[in-house]
Amino acid sequence: MMDREQREQPKDGRMKDGPIRCILLSEFHVVAGSKISCQVPENFITKEVFDSIRTFIIPKPQLQRCILTINTLGHKVIGYPVRINHVRYQRNFFYYNLCFACDSGSRTVQYEAVVKKLSEYLLMMEEEVSFLSNAANTANIRNLLACILRDLNGRQVATIVEGDTTIYLKIGRLKPDPPVVQDHQVPLMCRGFEDTDLDSWDLTTQQVLPFINGINHVARIAAEADVENQLVKSCIQNLVYYGVMQLLPLLKYSNVYMCTRELQKLTRDRTLADECRRYVQLQHAPDKVDPVRLPSLFNILQLYSQMTHGVTLRSLCQRLCPRDSNIDERKLVSFGLQHGLIRCINKYPIFTGSIPTPKHKLYTGLNSFDEICCKTGLSPSRIEQEIDMDSNVTVIWK
């Protein structure tokens, strides 16, 4: 019996990966119609449940060879119906569906490729030796499904050996969709990919990469690389999906940053601290890194710890003069954002008047200051000056 909590939809609305609860094989019988010919474990899908979804398990022929997912009555069933037309069968066809059953609140997209591959394998076996339609193979099919269920849930892989045929099944881990790339965001290569040979990338990436330096935003990269803006966004989004690149907020001296709890890692992780000191240094030795010239961890922590509400990067630099300590404040911010040591507090202007101008229509509280700068092409100082002089505009920091 399954726990009630396992069947409930996650409270945050996001589906989580769950195990395969059952593997069932259904077929169309010339007399009884759609039925379950074999399932492991036995009677997991009851007759009442199956009768309510049987038209979707063995659907109209137009839907065969398609991944179908049915989510109802506490079960989420993924199938790949296959119809074989041949004169050796009654009514000249054999129709079956190999299905995985999971909890209704589980994420199941990772099983779709496995269901399809396994169904195609059973199709091959049926065409060669009538593996499915021969009643004498029922015990073998049950054992086969039991082994697949055990191995996929336990090891995420399964190997099927039937006669001279071997098939390998593996549950692939799909990443969540990458975020939509905005004009004002700043792409930065992740650690380990900085020195990758340009020839190993596609043509668009080769044109774009030279302009990605952790400072240029997407719109500027598209202009300098002379590549269509949407094409650059698609390229960067693809690199973010595969973990090659990450997106950072646009660096401006009028920005306000705030340190996070992750900042304490600098005092506990010596490797991270040394990496930070090398990354943020303003001047490098001509031959090799000189330990004497590396910024001190004290000065770095002092700068990070002073980042809080109401303190802009400009005022912080004027007060602490990081360049006197051989610290590049731009690299300091970049490193902090990459490792989650700090976060950017964005400004969202809201127009509270009655008759908005075209520019006021951007002040909805949903467009950040960076987005407005990129859309209007105006400098941050110009927009700040206009907002300060407009009594009908309120700014929210978050």
Side-chain angles (χ1 to χ4, degrees):
M1 181 67 67
M2 204 179 310
D3 292 339
R4 181 179 178 183
E5 292 180 356
Q6 292 176 316
R7 288 186 176 271
E8 289 181 345
Q9 184 78 11
K11 293 181 179 179
D12 59 2
R14 293 178 297 177
M15 291 187 175
K16 299 180 181 179
D17 292 350
I20 304 168
R21 297 297 183 182
C22 170
I23 300 180
L24 66 91
L25 178 66
S26 175
E27 65 178 68
F28 181 82
H29 190 271
V30 293
V31 177
S34 303
K35 70 170 189 175
I36 298 176
S37 57
C38 180
Q39 68 170 313
V40 179
E42 194 71 31
N43 295 323
F44 182 85
I45 300 294
T46 64
K47 184 179 184 303
E48 292 75 15
V49 172
F50 181 77
D51 286 343
S52 67
I53 62 174
R54 61 193 300 172
T55 56
F56 303 104
I57 298 296
I58 303 295
K60 298 293 184 181
Q62 293 86 343
L63 293 177
Q64 66 129 353
R65 301 292 183 94
C66 297
I67 290 290
L68 301 179
T69 302
I70 308 103
N71 194 349
T72 185
L73 301 175
H75 300 287
K76 194 171 186 180
V77 182
I78 313 102
Y80 185 77
V82 176
R83 176 177 168 133
I84 306 172
N85 297 313
H86 200 280
V87 295
R88 70 170 179 261
Y89 302 114
Q90 288 183 288
R91 297 194 182 182
N92 295 325
F93 71 87
F94 179 73
Y95 206 167
Y96 73 92
N97 193 355
L98 186 282
C99 302
F100 286 4
C102 304
D103 299 333
S104 62
S106 296
R107 180 173 177 263
T108 57
V109 66
Q110 70 274 18
Y111 297 131
E112 293 180 358
V114 180
V115 170
K116 180 179 179 181
K117 185 174 182 179
L118 185 54
S119 294
E120 297 283 2
Y121 169 75
L122 294 177
L123 168 63
M124 179 186 68
M125 296 292 291
E126 172 63 23
E127 290 177 336
E128 290 181 356
V129 297
S130 299
F131 184 68
L132 299 177
S133 58
N134 189 346
N137 292 326
T138 302
N140 291 338
I141 294 173
R142 188 180 307 280
N143 293 334
L144 178 67
L145 298 185
C147 291
I148 294 173
L149 178 65
R150 182 191 66 236
D151 291 347
L152 288 181
N153 280 335
R155 302 185 292 114
Q156 310 296 303
V157 295
T159 303
I160 305 171
V161 179
E162 191 68 32
D164 296 332
T165 305
T166 303
I167 186 171
Y168 301 94
L169 302 174
K170 182 177 181 180
I171 300 173
R173 290 299 167 198
L174 301 179
K175 299 179 180 179
D177 292 336
V180 177
V181 179
Q182 305 291 345
D183 285 333
H184 64 277
Q185 292 178 310
V186 178
L188 179 69
M189 296 291 286
C190 292
R191 184 179 178 184
F193 295 97
E194 302 93 335
D195 299 325
T196 304
D197 188 5
L198 272 178
D199 293 336
S200 60
W201 302 105
D202 60 82
L203 293 177
T204 302
T205 307
Q206 290 181 29
Q207 285 183 266
V208 169
L209 280 183
F211 303 96
I212 296 177
N213 54 10
I215 297 175
N216 292 340
H217 54 75
V218 172
R220 183 174 181 180
I221 291 171
E224 294 190 358
D226 196 20
V227 178
E228 201 272 326
N229 185 278
Q230 194 57 47
L231 198 58
V232 172
K233 289 181 179 179
S234 299
C235 171
I236 293 173
Q237 188 179 42
N238 185 59
L239 294 173
V240 171
Y241 178 78
Y242 288 105
V244 177
M245 195 169 289
Q246 62 185 125
L247 296 172
L248 304 178
L250 181 63
L251 191 149
K252 304 191 304 293
Y253 283 90
S254 58
N255 280 357
V256 174
Y257 299 93
M258 184 175 182
C259 59
T260 68
R261 293 193 179 199
E262 298 297 314
L263 183 60
Q264 57 188 329
K265 286 183 179 180
L266 281 181
T267 60
R268 298 176 179 177
D269 189 339
R270 180 64 180 271
T271 303
L272 180 64
D274 290 342
E275 180 186 353
C276 179
R277 295 172 65 198
R278 289 191 295 269
Y279 187 91
V280 306
Q281 64 177 325
L282 183 62
Q283 298 178 354
H284 294 268
D287 298 324
K288 61 181 180 179
V289 176
D290 182 1
V292 178
R293 290 195 53 79
L294 286 177
S296 70
L297 184 59
F298 172 82
N299 289 332
I300 292 173
L301 287 171
Q302 184 184 36
L303 284 163
Y304 277 140
S305 63
Q306 295 296 315
M307 293 182 179
T308 186
H309 284 282
V311 179
T312 64
L313 180 61
R314 179 184 294 107
S315 63
L316 189 68
C317 292
Q318 291 173 344
R319 180 157 47 91
L320 297 179
C321 301
R323 301 208 168 203
D324 292 344
S325 302
N326 196 30
I327 296 175
D328 188 332
E329 67 278 358
R330 297 172 301 175
K331 293 182 179 178
L332 184 77
V333 170
S334 178
F335 187 89
L337 292 172
Q338 288 178 59
H339 294 83
L341 309 179
I342 60 173
R343 65 182 182 89
C344 183
I345 302 175
N346 292 307
K347 292 189 290 186
Y348 293 84
I350 300 176
F351 178 70
T352 57
S354 56
I355 304 176
T357 64
K359 191 181 297 181
H360 283 153
K361 292 181 180 180
L362 295 174
Y363 301 163
T364 61
L366 300 177
N367 295 320
S368 69
F369 204 75
D370 294 340
E371 292 178 83
I372 295 171
C373 287
C374 285
K375 289 179 178 179
T376 61
L378 299 177
S379 66
S381 58
R382 171 74 179 275
I383 295 180
E384 279 187 348
Q385 184 180 8
E386 291 181 357
I387 289 177
D388 290 340
M389 297 174 60
D390 194 336
S391 59
N392 292 320
V393 176
T394 302
V395 176
I396 296 177
W397 296 77
K398 62 180 180 177

